[in-house]
């Protein structure tokens, strides 16, 4: 008797077994060949021929097109995305810049190891053409090496510590900005200036501390406290400074949100701002103009940073080497200092 049952149609799994690569690699080849080695691509193409696997019309169209989307990869806990206004400002600027190219921005929150693993898998399967990395912390981004090894186009906001040579970036001039703010406080007659520094596993945190020291000179460790860029950490750091250096007449906080927290603590302690203690921040985030008193700060050009990140990422996607760009900041004088 002749078996008239229809023959089973070859699947991606059949192609993977025949080619000796993973199902994900086969999928990447079918979806345009993003970040697949020449050897793996050749093996998959031969396996497609030998198994008789048929690519449907949709998959065939994908094979010659990009995903036309980019990941906004934020390596922070979810609550930080809502608490820190800089992230939404950057994301809006990047989305606007991509819209000009008829491309879509995809938000990926990757604050935990599991989130980072899932984000890496998502990006490396070719669902996006590249990634904009925001808020990188040294020692907490091992997954970045996977993206580098897979030749995924990535541009970072700020220097990605530990990956400066392999990943391009756009940064504000944090060193010069912090130096200028310290100079402004000294020029206004303040003599005992304290610092609420940002996280030292970030380029911004390190560079603003370095710029402050460049201008002020040797600083008594009692006049330096550290925060994580949150308002609560600025409040706690200011309370610490009031204990260790109660004679302070000025405080520079490494971002506006911490500066607002420092003012909260000073008000509770009965210190007037700026009469008793001047307070300055960094970023010119929306809170700077809404706070009472309004904040003197260093303005980062967030819109330009976002647009330059997109421009540079599209260049990398197009095959050009990654660039590195540092942009100037601007002193904005308001009521607090």
């Amino acid at each position: 008797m002749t078996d008239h049952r229809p023959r089973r149609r070859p699947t991606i799994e059949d192609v993977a077994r025949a080619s000796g690569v993973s199902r994900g690699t086969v999928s990447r080849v079918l979806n345009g060949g993003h970040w697949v080695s020449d050897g793996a691509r050749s093996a998959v193409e031969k396996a497609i021929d030998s198994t008789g696997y048929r690519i449907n019309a949709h998959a065939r169209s994908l094979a010659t097109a990009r995903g036309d989307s980019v990941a906004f990869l934020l390596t922070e806990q979810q609550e930080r995305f809502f608490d820190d206004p800089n992230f939404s400002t950057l994301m809006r600027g990047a989305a606007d810049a991509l819209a000009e190219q008829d491309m879509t921005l995809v938000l990926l929150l990757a604050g935990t190891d599991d989130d980072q693993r899932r984000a890496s898998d998502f990006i490396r399967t070719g669902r996006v053409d590249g990634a904009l990395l925001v808020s990188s912390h040294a020692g907490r981004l091992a997954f970045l090496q996977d993206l580098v090894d897979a030749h995924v186009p990535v541009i970072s906001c700020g220097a990605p510590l530990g990956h400066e040579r392999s990943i391009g970036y756009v940064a504000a001039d944090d060193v010069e900005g912090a130096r200028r703010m310290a100079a402004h406080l000294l020029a206004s007659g303040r003599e005992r200036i304290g610092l609420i520094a940002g996280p030292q596993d970030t380029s911004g945190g390190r560079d603003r501390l370095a710029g402050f020291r460049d201008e002020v000179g040797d600083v008594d460790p009692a006049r330096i406290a550290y925060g994580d860029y949150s308002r609560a950490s600025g409040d706690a750091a200011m309370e610490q400074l009031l204990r260790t250096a109660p004679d302070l007449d000025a405080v520079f906080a490494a971002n506006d949100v911490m500066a607002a927290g420092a003012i909260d603590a000073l008000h509770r302690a009965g210190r007037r701002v700026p009469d008793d203690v001047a307070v300055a921040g960094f970023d010119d985030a929306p809170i700077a103009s809404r706070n009472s008193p309004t904040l003197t700060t260093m303005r980062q050009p967030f819109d330009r940073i976002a647009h330059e990140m997109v421009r540079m990422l599209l260049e990398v996607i197009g095959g050009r080497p990654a660039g590195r760009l540092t942009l100037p900041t601007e002193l904005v004088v308001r009521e607090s200092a």
Side-chain angles (χ1 to χ4, degrees):
M1 285 182 66
T2 302
D3 188 350
H4 293 290
R5 289 177 299 177
R7 183 183 176 189
R8 182 177 68 85
R9 184 175 182 177
T11 65
I12 287 181
E13 285 76 10
D14 295 324
V15 176
R17 281 192 293 270
S19 61
V21 302
S22 69
R23 186 186 188 283
T25 299
V26 175
S27 178
R28 288 198 291 276
V29 172
L30 297 177
N31 286 276
H34 296 271
W35 314 308
V36 178
S37 68
D38 291 340
R41 182 183 295 105
S42 177
V44 170
E45 290 171 349
K46 290 178 181 177
I48 290 173
D49 290 337
S50 66
T51 60
Y53 178 78
R54 293 185 178 181
I55 308 172
N56 63 36
H58 176 62
R60 190 177 300 276
S61 69
L62 287 174
T64 58
R66 296 201 319 234
D68 287 331
S69 61
V70 164
F72 187 89
L73 181 57
L74 178 61
T75 56
E76 295 284 358
Q77 299 291 337
Q78 293 184 13
E79 57 269 20
R80 284 296 309 282
F81 175 71
F82 299 100
D83 291 343
D84 192 324
N86 295 340
F87 297 144
S88 59
T89 300
L90 282 169
M91 190 172 72
R92 183 173 61 251
D96 289 344
L98 285 167
E100 295 173 3
Q101 306 299 321
D102 201 23
M103 297 180 70
T104 302
L105 189 66
V106 179
L107 172 63
L108 296 180
L109 297 175
T112 68
D113 290 342
D114 284 342
D115 287 341
Q116 290 177 3
R117 174 183 54 78
R118 285 188 288 269
S120 177
D121 289 345
F122 181 90
I123 292 169
R124 288 187 294 116
T125 54
R127 299 180 191 181
V128 293
D129 296 317
L132 301 171
L133 174 65
V134 180
S135 190
S136 60
H137 294 258
R140 287 169 47 191
L141 297 177
F143 80 101
L144 268 186
Q145 192 59 49
D146 294 335
L147 300 184
V148 172
D149 292 342
H151 305 291
V152 175
V154 178
I155 294 294
S156 174
C157 180
L161 297 179
H163 296 274
E164 296 95 328
R165 295 189 177 184
S166 55
I167 295 176
Y169 61 85
V170 180
D173 193 341
D174 292 304
V175 173
E176 177 62 15
R179 190 202 65 75
R180 286 188 62 200
M181 181 57 78
H184 168 73
L185 293 172
L186 290 169
S188 68
R190 308 291 171 161
E191 299 177 345
R192 300 175 299 280
I193 306 172
L195 173 70
I196 300 177
Q200 295 302 289
D201 62 350
T202 66
S203 57
R206 292 184 185 182
D207 287 349
R208 292 170 201 176
L209 173 57
F212 177 79
R213 283 175 164 157
D214 284 350
E215 185 65 27
V216 176
D218 291 334
V219 183
D220 185 344
R223 293 184 180 173
I224 300 178
Y226 297 86
D228 62 7
Y229 288 141
S230 69
R231 186 164 186 154
S233 74
D235 187 313
M238 190 67 246
E239 285 193 341
Q240 174 187 326
L241 291 175
L242 287 172
R243 293 191 300 271
T244 59
D247 63 339
L248 288 176
D249 59 8
V251 173
F252 169 41
N255 79 335
D256 294 334
V257 177
M258 290 197 300
I263 291 175
D264 293 339
L266 287 167
H267 284 168
R268 286 199 309 275
R271 303 289 184 93
R272 298 169 299 167
V273 179
D275 304 70
D276 300 323
V277 181
V279 177
F282 203 106
D283 289 339
D284 198 23
I287 195 173
S289 57
R290 298 172 186 165
N291 198 74
S292 180
T294 55
L295 288 172
T296 290
T297 186
M298 293 303 301
R299 176 178 294 153
Q300 290 201 63
F302 285 115
D303 189 62
R304 185 179 174 193
I305 288 172
H307 278 72
E308 293 288 356
M309 288 177 67
V310 168
R311 179 187 62 79
M312 290 169 61
L313 181 63
L314 294 180
E315 289 183 349
V316 176
I317 291 171
R320 296 182 62 179
R324 287 145 188 88
L325 178 64
T326 300
L327 299 174
T329 57
E330 177 187 355
L331 175 65
V332 180
V333 179
R334 297 193 179 98
E335 297 170 344
S336 68

